[in-house]
Amino acid sequence: MIEIPKDKLPNHIAFIMDGNGRWAKERNLPRLMGHKEGALVVERISETAFNWGIKYLTFFAFSTENWKRPREEVEGLMKLLDESIDKFKDKLIKNNIRLKIIGNIEALPDYLQRRIRYVIEETKNGKDRILTIALNYGGRWDILEAVKKILNEVKSKKFSLDDLNENTFSSFLSTYDIPDPDLLIRTSGEFRISNFLLWQLAYTELWFTPKYWPDFNEEDLKLACIEFSKRKRRFGGLDNNA
């Protein structure tokens, strides 16, 4: 068990799981093997974080830009996502965890869309914790979709622009029913957020590690949470000692 006071733990951790392909390449393995190993890490890290009392986890699994990758890799990723969601289903239900998917799932293969809708329905009563997977997701896409929804609401006179503020705008984003991340973890040594949760990460603490995602483990998660617990989150204001 992690030795950090519960009120010092992040409530919501988001992950950019980078380095699967490079991990495989360094071992002379197909890139897809790196993604398969990465899927196992998602399972282990989720179980650990939820056991610590963290309530929200969000994983960036496939971005709107990832379609540019070789067709064979993309097709393999789609099948792996389908298998992984199916595999995790029973564990999610047993542990009262709700699965949430953000992104444009309409562009995903039909079989994956069916799997997603089925597991979302099966886990909809999970109230304690939420596992969010970003599939075919981009932060700019999310913001543009929110703008379109607002314009449609204004056009149909269901919403007034006079009521538009940061809170009401957030209610039109795909993450409308979960809090913004407190901590973002990115692996593989890259120092960017790569079009992930652009609006939601405004005041998120960032933590980077050179490790590839398949090598990321519970001890790394612990180190990130310890670092988070030491940071002062002022949200633009001053603390009592300033």
Side-chain angles (χ1 to χ4, degrees):
M1 179 62 187
I2 191 169
E3 296 177 358
I4 299 176
K6 197 168 183 179
D7 63 345
K8 294 288 187 179
L9 279 171
N11 188 45
H12 181 181
I13 304 180
F15 298 87
I16 298 179
M17 308 176 288
D18 201 13
N20 292 331
R22 279 169 283 173
W23 179 91
K25 184 177 180 181
E26 289 183 5
R27 289 159 177 78
N28 295 314
L29 296 170
R31 286 176 59 86
L32 193 59
M33 290 301 297
H35 295 301
K36 288 182 177 180
E37 188 65 30
L40 297 176
V41 175
V42 171
E43 183 176 7
R44 292 196 297 268
I45 292 299
S46 296
E47 184 173 355
T48 297
F50 284 140
N51 285 340
W52 288 350
I54 295 165
K55 291 185 175 296
Y56 303 92
L57 299 175
T58 299
F59 294 91
F60 200 7
F62 191 86
S63 75
T64 51
E65 291 79 25
N66 286 156
W67 295 106
K68 301 172 185 176
R69 296 185 176 185
R71 187 179 70 176
E72 182 179 349
E73 181 177 350
V74 170
E75 290 176 352
L77 273 169
M78 294 297 115
K79 291 176 182 176
L80 176 60
L81 288 164
D82 182 58
E83 293 168 1
S84 298
I85 292 172
D86 182 49
K87 177 185 174 185
F88 296 161
K89 171 178 61 67
D90 292 339
K91 187 173 289 188
L92 294 173
I93 295 171
K94 178 182 178 181
N95 293 291
N96 202 30
I97 299 168
R98 176 163 70 91
L99 177 68
K100 178 180 174 65
I101 303 292
I102 58 174
N104 181 15
I105 68 168
E106 308 299 327
L108 299 174
D110 290 342
Y111 67 85
L112 182 53
Q113 290 187 46
R114 288 193 295 270
R115 179 78 69 194
I116 287 169
R117 292 189 175 99
Y118 171 71
V119 178
I120 286 175
E121 178 65 22
E122 289 293 299
T123 64
K124 68 180 181 181
N125 294 322
K127 302 183 186 304
D128 294 343
R129 293 155 291 182
I130 297 179
L131 174 66
T132 301
I133 306 295
L135 293 178
N136 195 25
Y137 176 87
R140 290 178 176 177
W141 168 87
D142 201 2
I143 292 170
L144 285 173
E145 287 299 302
V147 172
K148 290 177 185 177
K149 291 173 187 175
I150 292 170
L151 292 175
N152 284 332
E153 292 282 285
V154 171
K155 186 177 180 180
S156 60
K157 298 184 179 180
K158 296 178 181 178
F159 184 81
S160 170
L161 287 180
D162 293 335
D163 296 324
L164 184 60
N165 54 46
E166 289 188 13
N167 289 331
T168 56
F169 185 85
S170 293
S171 71
F172 287 93
L173 293 167
S174 61
T175 53
Y176 66 92
D177 56 348
I178 58 176
D180 291 343
D182 301 295
L183 173 64
L184 171 72
I185 294 173
R186 179 166 188 158
T187 56
S188 89
E190 304 292 353
F191 295 89
R192 55 181 178 269
I193 58 176
S194 296
N195 195 22
F196 185 44
L197 300 174
L198 296 179
W199 176 276
Q200 298 89 336
L201 293 178
Y203 282 103
T204 299
E205 297 295 323
L206 310 179
W207 192 84
F208 302 99
T209 174
K211 279 191 173 183
Y212 296 143
W213 178 251
D215 291 326
F216 189 83
N217 57 37
E218 292 84 350
E219 189 62 28
D220 298 311
L221 180 64
K222 181 179 179 180
L223 289 173
C225 288
I226 289 172
E227 172 66 24
F228 173 84
S229 72
K230 296 176 180 177
R231 296 187 185 181
K232 295 183 182 296
R233 306 186 72 201
R234 302 181 182 88
F235 300 96
L238 298 175
D239 59 34
N240 295 330
N241 297 319

